[in-house]
Amino acid sequence: MVLSVIFCVFVACTALQIIYLFTFFSFLSKSKYGRKNKTEIPVSVIIFIKNQGENLLKLLPSILDQEHSLFEIVLINNASSDETNDIIQSFSEKHTCIKVVEVENNEAFWASKKYALTLGIKASKYDHLLFTNTNCKPVSKNWISEMSRDFTSKKTIVLGYKKYRKENSFINLFVRFENLLTAIKCFGFVQKGSPFMAFEGNLAFNKATFFKVNGFINHMKINAGLEDLFIKDAANKENTTFCLSENSFIETDAPTSFYKWFSDKKEAAYIKKKYKYKHRLLLNVFAFTKILFYVFAIILFFTYPYKIILSIVLFYFIVNYILIGYSAKKLKEPQIIFFLPFLEIGLILFQISIFIANLTSKPSHWK
């Protein structure tokens, strides 16, 4: 009797996982030939800076070298105290397309990135805004053009993809796999008309959309989750799209410290608690049924006719391999597919560890 119940739950979890997979991977069906701007539109590229002179030296040439007819670069200097000030001055003197917004520490919004970005948005010249970070770099000279081409009269928010640079280490492989799955869920939900997050460092929207929800006012004092919480307030199925062109990707260094990455993911888990209820429910059901799938598969393999369990598990893995394989190819991460079962199981254990850790502690600025 108990085994029959476990088997039924196992089959149900398998079915739910496959339904989720096809839902997430629906983003692959997005047409290359959908509605896009045929003419280039002016864009303000917004970059927040706080004592990041070395990264700025690497980023600015790649932005200035963009093959887009009309754009400005808005550098938001948030009370930097290192060589950043000299670097900003040097570039702004040579390039008229650079606008500098100096932000002094404000007692009410001390060290708030969201407050600083709000000032930068208000100071920008153009209506269409494209955001990146100093630790990121476009993979092509057409980043601005590709991201802005998806703006239409209805699509006023464009989500882009941020990938991690490939290195020969296990943590790098693991981080890139987790990032790939995040992208699959992010773009899959948008394709189904239910956006819930965006990648930090590659997001575009217009001013009207920003001011319609009073900017970041609803989460101004939360020093994290800027992109996700803005998407929660501003995005819907009518106004949000995403760009999958390789030329629209931005790239950044992957974390090299497991402890640092673990801490970042702990904070991200707290941000998820601020998502809309339906998104929290859908994501939690997906994670929970995946855990049950593996646990019950192991139990039933030794206590139930193994050929039945093996056939169900193999069917799941075939579907998983095919869909993740196509996604990995689309997002330029083809090597990941060779390590899929080990990475998936490892990620489950990692997420369980984060859940346990968050029961006993939370990020300092959340306390």
Side-chain angles (χ1 to χ4, degrees):
M1 178 63 180
V2 175
L3 278 181
S4 297
V5 172
I6 292 176
F7 177 74
C8 290
V9 175
F10 170 67
V11 172
C13 288
T14 306
L16 278 172
Q17 281 295 302
I18 291 174
I19 291 171
Y20 267 102
L21 288 175
F22 278 104
T23 300
F24 290 151
F25 294 100
S26 63
F27 82 93
L28 293 170
S29 65
K30 183 183 181 185
S31 173
K32 295 180 180 178
Y33 310 105
R35 292 184 180 179
K36 290 180 180 286
N37 275 316
K38 295 182 179 179
T39 58
E40 290 187 348
I41 58 176
V43 175
S44 293
V45 179
I46 312 290
I47 305 172
F48 172 86
I49 310 162
K50 177 73 174 180
N51 295 332
Q52 295 165 321
E54 185 176 344
N55 286 333
L56 193 61
L57 278 173
K58 299 175 184 178
L59 172 64
L60 278 180
S62 68
I63 304 295
L64 291 165
D65 205 27
Q66 290 288 302
E67 295 179 352
H68 192 78
S69 58
L70 189 59
F71 69 95
E72 68 168 350
I73 304 173
V74 181
L75 301 180
I76 305 170
N77 185 20
N78 190 16
S80 295
S81 57
D82 63 355
E83 72 279 3
T84 298
N85 297 309
D86 295 332
I87 293 170
I88 290 175
Q89 182 177 355
S90 174
F91 273 97
S92 62
E93 288 176 350
K94 296 176 183 176
H95 303 279
T96 57
C97 64
I98 293 179
K99 176 182 291 185
V100 181
V101 177
E102 296 287 351
V103 181
E104 297 181 358
N105 286 324
N106 182 299
E107 186 175 348
F109 302 103
W110 184 265
S112 172
K113 179 179 179 180
K114 297 172 185 180
Y115 169 70
L117 281 172
T118 300
L119 297 182
I121 290 169
K122 290 180 177 180
S124 60
K125 182 191 303 184
Y126 303 122
D127 289 331
H128 294 89
L129 314 172
L130 178 55
F131 297 80
T132 193
N133 294 334
T134 53
N135 62 348
C136 299
K137 187 177 180 181
V139 301
S140 82
K141 295 181 180 181
N142 302 114
W143 170 62
I144 297 177
S145 297
E146 288 296 321
M147 286 293 291
S148 60
R149 283 178 66 219
D150 277 281
F151 278 119
T152 66
S153 59
K154 292 184 178 180
K155 300 300 182 182
T156 60
I157 300 176
V158 182
L159 311 185
Y161 178 54
K162 179 182 74 173
K163 63 180 298 185
Y164 287 111
R165 294 185 182 92
K166 180 184 175 183
E167 297 176 5
N168 294 322
S169 69
F170 174 74
I171 187 173
N172 180 267
L173 181 66
F174 200 55
V175 167
R176 288 190 291 118
F177 174 67
E178 191 274 339
N179 192 65
L180 172 66
L181 292 188
T182 299
I184 289 168
K185 288 182 279 190
C186 172
F187 300 139
F189 269 70
V190 177
Q191 185 70 5
K192 290 299 182 181
S194 190
F196 74 99
M197 65 156 291
F199 278 95
E200 181 184 9
N202 202 7
L203 170 65
F205 52 80
N206 67 15
K207 284 186 178 181
T209 300
F210 179 77
F211 290 116
K212 185 177 180 180
V213 295
N214 294 318
F216 308 124
I217 193 66
N218 292 334
H219 47 94
M220 182 67 74
K221 294 187 177 181
I222 299 177
N223 292 328
L226 183 151
E227 291 78 13
D228 291 1
L229 297 179
F230 175 74
I231 291 298
K232 173 190 173 184
D233 290 343
N236 56 58
K237 64 180 180 181
E238 284 84 20
N239 70 359
T240 305
T241 187
F242 57 94
C243 188
L244 289 182
S245 163
E246 183 181 359
N247 287 334
S248 72
F249 296 172
I250 60 102
E251 195 173 47
T252 188
D253 289 327
T256 55
S257 164
F258 185 83
Y259 176 78
K260 175 64 168 61
W261 186 52
F262 187 83
S263 299
D264 290 343
K265 289 303 169 182
K266 277 185 62 180
E267 185 171 85
Y270 269 99
I271 292 298
K272 289 178 182 178
K273 294 181 179 181
K274 300 289 184 179
Y275 288 177
K276 292 179 180 178
Y277 175 77
K278 66 176 181 179
H279 295 137
R280 297 200 311 271
L281 178 63
L282 289 169
L283 293 171
N284 287 337
V285 169
F286 174 69
F288 185 62
T289 53
K290 186 179 287 291
I291 294 172
L292 290 182
F293 168 81
Y294 278 103
V295 172
F296 288 167
I298 294 171
I299 293 172
L300 291 169
F301 190 80
F302 296 103
T303 58
Y304 208 79
Y306 76 92
K307 290 183 180 179
I308 297 176
I309 305 305
L310 184 61
S311 62
I312 295 174
V313 171
L314 286 177
F315 178 70
Y316 165 78
F317 274 116
I318 289 171
V319 173
N320 206 22
Y321 258 106
I322 292 172
L323 295 178
I324 290 184
Y326 275 116
S327 301
K329 182 179 180 182
K330 183 69 177 179
L331 297 175
K332 307 305 175 184
E333 294 285 6
Q335 307 87 353
I336 285 176
I337 193 65
F338 299 110
F339 305 94
L340 181 57
F342 307 102
L343 292 171
E344 184 167 89
I345 294 171
L347 185 59
I348 290 173
L349 297 175
F350 179 77
Q351 291 169 336
I352 291 173
S353 300
I354 289 176
F355 175 76
I356 294 172
N358 277 342
L359 290 178
T360 57
S361 64
K362 63 175 82 172
S364 59
H365 58 268
W366 286 73
K367 295 177 179 178

